[in-house]
Amino acid sequence: MAYRLPARHQEVNWREFTLWSILFFGIYLFYPFSFLVGDRSYAPLPYFPYLPDAITLRLIAVAPLILTNFIVVYMSERYILLSKAERPTALLFITALTLTQPELTFLRGSSLLLMTLILFTSFGEEGKSEAPFPYFTTGLMIGILCLVHPIYFLVVLSVMATQYLVRTITPRNVLAVLLGLTLPAWILSPLLFVLWYQGGLDAYLIYVWGLIEGLVPIQFPFISGISIAYALFIVSLFALGSILYMGRYQREKVRSRGMIVSLQVSCLFFFTFIAIFSSCTPELLVIAITPLSLLLAKGLGELRPRPARIVRSVFLLILLGMTLAQAYYTTFS
């Protein structure tokens, strides 16, 4: 086919993925971070059952990451978004960027999983511009995310931009997203009565109000929650993937171009939201991981195997160094 890459680029390197993943998993599980998952202060209910040890909680937090990797492999093959040689790269960066989040919890790991599903379902079905049900599912997952944190309402903007770029935006599809968005709140509304009956409604309302207060922009532009070095690192990853993909743009199908451009637009949206809503940096940073990693995989797929391996190693070593430095500073400060 005219859109296949040269044979020299088709190299599946699962060994590299396995070695780097073991390294990042080991550091995440056994090196001290500034935030231990499972802190009671993050539970919206006044009475919370016994919390296991930190290692167990961290294993629970990475369970959605493992499911995310399987979904990326399956969905990439279904939508022909990544070649077989590009999938290990995407999974490697998803794993590394997720495990180096010092405030990774099970809920934020679940938001990564849901955002990955939202990203792929928002592409729609090829040749079917009028397909409301997949977009209803997309809206339903966004609604579930919004129950965790109201900042995830902003994901709707990314979904609408994706529909426009892949040429599937229609009034019916937009309405399907909005209907799915409101459904989880209607289904779970009886829980408010249960909380009121058990005396926990006040605690839950205080928790929700605290999240809403955190959405108020302090100043623009403003970055907090991550260091300037880490912010520059993330932006450099985005720039690298975008620049490398430019040489491949003309060889892609129109639909593939739309999907990749939608990844770029999603990353730009989330970077902008981080600058505005700095208090929600951990939540927004996690859901930006999947589009950023997929974009990097497409860009690095344009390089020959050896230069691509060198570039991956350099960026992963930088990420590893910043993670260890942050953990050391937090531990001994």
Side-chain angles (χ1 to χ4, degrees):
M1 294 177 61
Y3 301 105
R4 290 180 62 86
L5 286 177
R8 67 172 184 271
H9 292 186
Q10 304 298 325
E11 177 182 311
V12 181
N13 197 343
W14 288 106
R15 182 182 302 176
E16 179 188 14
F17 165 76
T18 303
L19 293 176
W20 279 107
S21 297
I22 291 174
L23 177 61
F24 279 98
F25 267 105
I27 291 175
Y28 172 76
L29 292 176
F30 302 110
Y31 207 85
F33 279 85
S34 61
F35 179 87
L36 294 179
V37 295
D39 189 351
R40 289 177 185 270
S41 63
Y42 276 71
L45 303 180
Y47 304 105
F48 202 72
Y50 167 75
L51 294 174
D53 58 272
I55 297 296
T56 304
L57 287 169
R58 292 179 182 182
L59 285 172
I60 293 173
V62 299
L65 169 63
I66 298 173
L67 291 176
T68 300
N69 286 341
F70 282 109
I71 288 173
V72 168
V73 172
Y74 171 74
M75 292 292 194
S76 296
E77 184 173 355
R78 177 180 177 183
Y79 287 93
I80 321 178
L81 183 62
L82 300 176
S83 67
K84 290 184 178 180
E86 294 165 347
R87 290 168 198 166
T89 301
L91 300 185
L92 179 57
F93 277 100
I94 289 175
T95 302
L97 291 172
T98 303
L99 293 178
T100 51
Q101 301 299 314
E103 298 187 10
L104 178 65
T105 63
F106 176 76
L107 288 179
R108 287 174 184 155
S110 299
S111 69
L112 171 71
L113 176 62
L114 284 173
M115 184 60 201
T116 303
L117 289 169
I118 291 168
L119 190 68
F120 281 105
T121 56
S122 62
F123 291 148
E125 298 183 9
E126 187 172 6
K128 295 181 180 180
S129 59
E130 289 286 346
F133 183 74
Y135 291 112
F136 176 80
T137 306
T138 301
L140 180 64
M141 290 186 289
I142 299 175
I144 295 173
L145 275 179
C146 295
L147 294 177
V148 178
H149 200 293
I151 193 65
Y152 293 128
F153 275 110
L154 297 174
V155 176
V156 176
L157 299 178
S158 173
V159 170
M160 296 302 174
T162 299
Q163 287 188 18
Y164 174 77
L165 291 169
V166 297
R167 303 180 181 183
T168 59
I169 187 168
T170 63
R172 290 182 62 187
N173 293 344
V174 173
L175 181 61
V177 172
L178 297 179
L179 288 176
L181 181 64
T182 59
L183 185 61
W186 283 104
I187 294 176
L188 298 179
S189 58
L191 288 179
L192 294 177
F193 176 77
V194 175
L195 289 175
W196 174 78
Y197 182 77
Q198 294 183 350
L201 182 59
D202 291 341
Y204 180 76
L205 292 178
I206 292 173
Y207 168 76
V208 173
W209 179 250
L211 295 179
I212 295 175
E213 283 185 328
L215 296 180
V216 179
I218 299 176
Q219 51 183 310
F220 179 81
F222 184 77
I223 297 178
S224 66
I226 56 174
S227 64
I228 296 298
Y230 190 77
L232 293 175
F233 174 75
I234 294 297
V235 172
S236 64
L237 289 179
F238 170 75
L240 176 69
S242 299
I243 293 172
L244 291 178
Y245 179 73
M246 288 175 60
R248 184 175 175 177
Y249 182 82
Q250 297 299 330
R251 301 199 307 268
E252 294 275 35
K253 295 180 180 179
V254 174
R255 177 174 169 80
S256 297
R257 294 178 189 175
M259 288 191 289
I260 301 304
V261 173
S262 70
L263 298 178
Q264 296 173 314
V265 171
S266 296
C267 290
L268 288 175
F269 273 159
F270 296 139
F271 293 161
T272 304
F273 297 151
I274 287 173
I276 300 175
F277 305 102
S278 57
S279 61
C280 302
T281 293
E283 287 80 11
L284 292 171
L285 198 59
V286 169
I287 62 176
I289 288 175
T290 300
L292 178 61
S293 301
L294 295 177
L295 179 62
L296 268 172
K298 293 295 288 187
L300 292 176
E302 187 66 13
L303 297 177
R304 293 174 180 270
R306 183 179 178 85
R309 193 179 305 117
I310 293 174
V311 172
R312 286 193 298 267
S313 300
V314 169
F315 276 101
L316 290 172
L317 287 174
I318 293 174
L319 180 61
L320 186 62
M322 289 192 297
T323 302
L324 295 176
Q326 180 187 16
Y328 178 85
Y329 173 77
T330 304
T331 305
F332 296 102
S333 60

